[in-house]
Every structure is written in C-alpha cells, then in structure tokens.
Amino acid sequence: MIVDCAIYQDGRRTDGPDDFSEALDKARASDDAFLWIGLHEPSEREFDLVRHEFGLHPLAVEDALRAHQRPKLEVYDDSLFAVLKPVVYESNSDTVSADELMIFIGDSFVVTVRHGDSAPLADVRSRLEADPQILAHGPTAVLYAISDAVVDHYIDVAGELQVDLEELETEVFAPSGTGDSSNTAASIYTFKRQVLEFRRATGPLTAPMTRLAGAGVPFVHQEAQPFFRDVADHLTRVNEQVEGLDRLLSDILSAHLAQMGVRQNDDMRKISAWAAMAAVPTMVAGIYGMNFDHMPELHWGWTYPAVILFMTVAVVGLHRQFKRRGWL
C-alpha cells in the first residue's frame, strides 16, 4: 500500500498530482524538487505501476517485493538501490527481530519500500520536513537520513544487549551456584542467537556505507560524503560492540561449562568419599557375617563391641581425612 506520496521543492513539501507520472514530471521540471513515495509491503500488482513509471530495474523490483535480502547497495542505469535492515529489540521477550527497508533513488525521485513495522520512515520524514535546509539536498538527504536513523537505532539496541549480557554474567558467575545449569546454558545459547540475528543486519551494511562515503556513486552528491562517513563510523562502532558481545558470550559459555565440570567433579568426590566410608563397615560386617565355625575372636565376649568400635573409628578417621582434603 502507498503510505505517503509528496513532492518536495526547495526542501518544503508541496501538493502534487495524484498520478505518479505527472508528479514525476512536475518534480523533474524544477531543479530543486523531487518526488518521495513511501510503500509498505506492496503487492506485485501495486508495485507494477511504480516500476513502469520510474523505470526501476527488474532485479531490484524482485528484491523489493520478495524481501529477505542482505543489506547491500546496487547501482543500475536509472536508479540506485539500497537495502537496509532495521532491528527491533523486544525487552519483554529479550529478542531481536529484523525487518527490511528498500530505497530506490533516481533522477528527482525516491521510492521507499518497507517490510515489517520497525522501519523509522515516518519519524525520518517528519524530521526532514521540519528541517528544509537538509531536505533541500534532494534524494541524497533522504538516503542519508534513513541510513543515519537505522544505524543510530543499532547503537541503542547494542546498548540494551550489553545490559542483558551483564545480567547474564551475574547469573552465571553468582557465588551461590544454585541456578539451574540447563536453563543457564539455554539462556546463553538463546542470547547468542539474538546477537547473531543482530550481526546479520549490521555486518553486511559496512560495505554499502563505505561505498557511499567514497566518491563515484551515481545519484549521490559528493558533498554528502562526510555525512555518510559519519554513519560508517557509527556502524563500525556497532560492529565492534557486536563482535565484543559475541566473544564474551563464547567466553561465558565456556566458563559455564567449566563450572559445570567442576561441580560434577565435586559431586563425584563427595560420592566417592561417602562410598569409601560405607565400604569399611560393609567389609567388616561381610566378613563376620560369613557362616564359618572357625573364625578368629568369633566366640570372645568382647568381640562385638570391639568390631563396632573399630568400624566407628575407621569411618570417623576417613571422614576427617576427606574433610581435610576438601572432598566433603
């Protein structure tokens, strides 16, 4: 569906024809005007009119309709095609989800195609309309503003993930050790999957932003290079944070598995110690429980209390030895 359609002249929104062809002709008739059309999950039939009017490349149109694309930047004869992946962090479920945002830039037009509900286009359009000086730079300003908004939100999501990671570290390295080991391992693995989902959105975007920050990209003003370099710097910081999160998660998982191994060894030592203490009276009772007529001290009057005393002393002695060695 068409969310918004407007002509911007000298950075200010103006009323234009409802027909795309007439609106584009009106925008191209002036050097300081361009047409911005916003679409949300359009069908093939809805997008067909836009494709014909703006001469969009079939491969780019196919990517825009099917979605599920990696962040990228493609240059065609009549347009520039960029794919971004805005992310959303759900604090209630601690999950990261990524939507898709496609941007077509050409001669005096911008077409944005949004898949999902997290793309910040409404806020970006409002901020640009409130600042005509920036919007007067044309489609390049729209591409920069959208990229900057998406990357800035990456920084916010990375900060929230960092907070969750600190909470997970506290849980794993808690001195009590009373937490459920299986649940903790599952939490670490789930968190690692969220970081991987985040990384799929931020990592591939580095090459497009670096390319936009350089020279020679069609439909992008050279004066915008410093601004795209700023976005690329922010993206680099986000990628470093994501790599740090991933490394820390791997270290936390390794530490958790090591803790589980230590706890299992402690449990085995305790079991072995109690088994050794139980073996002594069992052995003595087994020997004197045999039905032989001729056994040493079998008919002595003090044999029974002596054997009980021996078993007690042996068990107490073993207990003290195991306690001293830290097995109990």
Side-chain angles (χ1 to χ4, degrees):
M1 59 176 292
I2 299 176
V3 179
D4 201 350
C5 177
I7 295 177
Y8 296 89
Q9 186 169 9
D10 196 22
R12 300 186 183 277
R13 183 173 182 140
T14 61
D15 295 332
D18 295 332
D19 183 77
F20 291 159
S21 181
E22 294 181 9
L24 183 59
D25 291 340
K26 182 179 178 181
R28 286 176 173 172
S30 178
D31 295 335
D32 57 355
F34 69 96
L35 175 65
W36 183 0
I37 299 176
L39 303 171
H40 179 234
E41 297 182 357
S43 64
E44 185 174 354
R45 183 178 180 181
E46 291 173 337
F47 202 68
D48 191 57
L49 179 61
V50 177
R51 177 175 66 87
H52 284 294
E53 293 295 341
F54 295 95
L56 304 180
H57 196 278
L59 293 177
V61 171
E62 182 181 358
D63 291 343
L65 289 174
R66 293 186 177 182
H68 304 294
Q69 303 295 318
R70 298 173 74 249
K72 61 181 181 178
L73 181 68
E74 299 286 351
V75 179
Y76 298 102
D77 294 336
D78 298 325
S79 63
L80 181 71
F81 178 61
V83 179
L84 306 176
K85 295 182 75 70
V87 297
V88 174
Y89 179 75
E90 298 291 343
S91 57
N92 296 330
S93 57
D94 294 337
T95 57
V96 174
S97 59
D99 295 331
E100 293 191 36
L101 178 60
M102 289 77 173
I103 308 171
F104 294 89
I105 291 181
D107 182 15
S108 302
F109 73 86
V110 177
V111 178
T112 55
V113 182
R114 179 165 56 95
H115 291 268
D117 299 324
S118 65
L121 289 186
D123 294 338
V124 171
R125 190 185 285 262
S126 299
R127 287 199 300 269
L128 286 175
E129 291 178 353
D131 194 348
Q133 186 176 0
I134 296 179
L135 196 56
H137 290 84
T140 303
V142 177
L143 178 60
Y144 160 72
I146 294 175
S147 303
D148 186 59
V150 171
V151 173
D152 283 348
H153 191 62
Y154 286 166
I155 297 175
D156 297 335
V157 173
E160 294 176 342
L161 289 175
Q162 182 66 41
V163 173
D164 287 347
L165 178 62
E166 293 174 357
E167 295 177 355
L168 188 59
E169 281 182 313
T170 303
E171 178 183 351
V172 171
F173 297 106
S176 59
T178 58
D180 191 344
S181 298
S182 60
N183 289 341
T184 301
S187 299
I188 297 174
Y189 181 75
T190 302
F191 195 95
K192 198 172 182 65
R193 286 185 63 87
Q194 305 310 315
V195 172
L196 177 61
E197 182 70 18
F198 189 31
R199 195 170 190 172
R200 287 172 180 169
T202 63
L205 189 59
T206 302
M209 287 297 107
T210 303
R211 188 176 179 184
L212 288 172
V217 180
F219 309 105
V220 176
H221 294 299
Q222 293 184 357
E223 292 80 2
Q225 293 177 16
F227 298 94
F228 283 110
R229 279 199 297 269
D230 182 68
V231 176
D233 290 341
H234 292 174
L235 183 62
T236 300
R237 187 175 70 180
V238 171
N239 285 325
E240 290 175 352
Q241 287 182 279
V242 173
E243 291 178 3
L245 290 172
D246 189 62
R247 286 196 301 268
L248 283 174
L249 280 171
S250 298
D251 294 341
I252 291 174
L253 181 59
S254 299
H256 176 65
L257 294 177
Q259 284 181 335
M260 292 180 61
V262 171
R263 291 171 186 171
Q264 289 176 351
N265 290 336
D266 290 340
D267 294 338
M268 289 301 299
R269 284 201 298 264
K270 291 179 182 179
I271 293 172
S272 300
W274 287 109
M277 289 187 291
V280 173
T282 300
M283 180 187 65
V284 175
I287 292 174
Y288 279 90
M290 294 186 293
N291 296 320
F292 293 113
D293 291 333
H294 302 287
M295 293 183 66
E297 299 92 15
L298 187 62
H299 299 287
W300 292 5
W302 50 268
T303 301
Y304 177 75
V307 170
I308 296 297
L309 179 61
F310 171 77
M311 289 189 296
T312 303
V313 171
V315 171
V316 171
L318 287 174
H319 186 273
R320 292 186 63 183
Q321 287 294 328
F322 291 136
K323 195 77 172 178
R324 185 180 297 112
R325 294 178 180 271
W327 284 37
L328 293 175

